[in-house]
């Protein structure tokens, strides 16, 4: 899940971005309205956290321009975070298409809960728990468990496996994985995905007995991408 955080207060932006990354979310930041508008014109995000009082372009103008674009990008969920708590501005933001509104100061726990609720809502009626064999992912707690035990993952390993399990049984291209795992500012290239696929494979292999039908397996589809599926769904090897 890639989030755009638009906040001109640098210390607050850094603190919020760290908290969201600790919650296994990929976060990009913009510190003025013009930069945010440019990113929203070219990039896809699962959620935008938008301050209103911004240099170069007001937050309401950023929101207005986003909704006017239409298409998939124009429907991106937006949560307004602002110290401007007047009723008129709140109503104006919601009328322009904001999905939620949180006045500063706020508790981090409330922000995280609202972020998770908006992300779940944006996924439509998808299940709160995704499973693949003995592997499961709870979209509320954002925790993986494997064979009944918590699965320890780094933030980027978590992002790779989340992208695969929420599309279990469908191929995910390397390019799509890269977009969901890395932010624009990260110093990484497309081949870095192969490293994280390798690490996640090792953790899945160590999580159940080798060859167990309950295992979850990541298969490389040459020229297409990667596929997560239960071992029991794989075709048996041809006899020698």
């Amino acid at each position: 899940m890639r989030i755009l955080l638009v906040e001109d207060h640098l210390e607050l932006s850094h603190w919020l971005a760290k908290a969201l990354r600790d919650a296994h979310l990929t976060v990009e930041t913009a510190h003025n309205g013009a930069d945010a508008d440019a990113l929203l014109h070219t990039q896809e995000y699962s959620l935008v956290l938008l301050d209103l009082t911004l240099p170069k372009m007001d937050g309401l103008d950023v929101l207005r321009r986003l909704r006017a674009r239409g298409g998939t990008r124009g429907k991106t969920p937006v949560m307004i975070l602002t110290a401007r708590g007047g009723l008129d501005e709140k109503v104006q933001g919601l009328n322009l298409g904001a999905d939620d509104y949180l006045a500063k100061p706020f508790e981090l726990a409330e922000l995280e809960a609202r972020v998770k609720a908006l992300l779940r809502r944006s996924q439509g009626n998808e299940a709160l728990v995704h499973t693949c064999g003995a592997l499961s992912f709870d979209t509320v707690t954002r925790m993986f468990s494997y064979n009944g035990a918590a699965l320890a993952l780094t933030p980027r390993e978590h992002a790779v496996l989340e992208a695969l399990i929420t599309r279990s049984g469908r191929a995910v291209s390397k390019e799509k994985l890269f977009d969901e795992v890395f932010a624009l500012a990260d110093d990484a290239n497309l081949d870095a995905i192969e490293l994280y696929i390798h690490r996640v494979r090792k953790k899945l292999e160590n999580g159940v007995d080798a060859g167990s039908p309950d295992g979850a397996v990541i298969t490389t589809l040459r020229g297409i991408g990667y596929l997560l599926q239960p071992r029991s769904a794989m075709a048996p090897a041809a006899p020698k």
Side-chain angles (χ1 to χ4, degrees):
M1 298 290 182
R2 190 162 66 148
I3 290 177
L4 178 62
L5 170 62
V6 189
E7 170 60 62
D8 67 323
H9 190 291
L10 297 185
E11 185 177 352
L12 177 58
S13 175
H14 175 77
W15 178 72
L16 289 175
K18 182 181 183 304
L20 293 167
R21 288 172 183 138
D22 288 344
H24 306 297
L25 295 164
T26 300
V27 182
E28 294 177 5
T29 57
H31 302 127
N32 64 69
D35 287 349
D37 182 61
L39 286 171
L40 291 168
H41 189 68
T42 60
Q43 304 294 316
E44 291 189 5
Y45 297 95
S46 300
L47 176 65
V48 179
L49 301 179
L50 180 65
D51 189 20
L52 290 187
T53 307
L54 295 168
K56 298 187 178 180
M57 185 184 296
D58 187 77
L60 290 176
D61 289 330
V62 173
L63 176 59
R64 184 182 292 107
R65 288 169 62 88
L66 173 65
R67 292 296 183 242
R69 290 189 186 106
T72 302
R73 291 193 181 113
K75 296 178 182 177
T76 304
V78 174
M79 181 190 300
I80 291 176
L81 305 177
T82 183
R84 286 156 52 177
L87 178 61
D88 289 345
E89 285 190 327
K90 182 175 181 179
V91 170
Q92 185 179 6
L94 294 172
N95 285 339
L96 285 174
D99 299 272
D100 201 356
Y101 197 110
L102 189 57
K104 301 174 184 176
F106 50 79
E107 294 292 333
L108 183 58
E110 182 179 5
L111 173 64
E112 290 183 356
R114 291 189 181 214
V115 164
K116 291 176 181 177
L118 276 178
L119 291 173
R120 289 197 306 272
R121 192 187 310 164
S122 69
Q123 294 173 9
N125 294 322
E126 292 187 15
L128 295 180
V129 178
H130 297 272
T131 61
C132 180
L135 177 68
S136 66
F137 173 59
D138 189 317
T139 62
V140 176
T141 64
R142 300 193 57 75
M143 298 295 293
F144 280 96
S145 61
Y146 197 37
N147 208 28
L151 184 62
L153 298 164
T154 68
R156 284 178 177 161
E157 291 168 356
H158 189 287
V160 166
L161 194 52
E162 180 179 349
L164 292 172
I165 198 170
T166 54
R167 302 171 178 86
S168 182
R170 291 176 285 163
V172 184
S173 70
K174 184 186 290 188
E175 292 79 8
K176 181 64 174 176
L177 283 177
F178 185 86
D179 287 344
E180 297 201 13
V181 173
F182 293 98
L184 290 176
D186 289 335
D187 183 15
N189 58 46
L190 197 59
D191 291 337
I193 288 297
E194 295 179 10
L195 172 63
Y196 289 100
I197 288 288
H198 173 75
R199 291 178 178 176
V200 173
R201 274 192 180 126
K202 287 294 184 183
K203 292 187 176 182
L204 294 179
E205 290 170 1
N206 294 335
V208 295
D209 295 335
S212 168
D214 292 330
V217 180
I218 300 174
T219 301
T220 300
L221 304 175
R222 298 296 178 188
I224 299 175
Y226 301 95
L227 175 68
L228 179 71
Q229 60 184 332
R231 189 182 300 276
S232 59
M234 297 177 66
K240 294 182 179 179

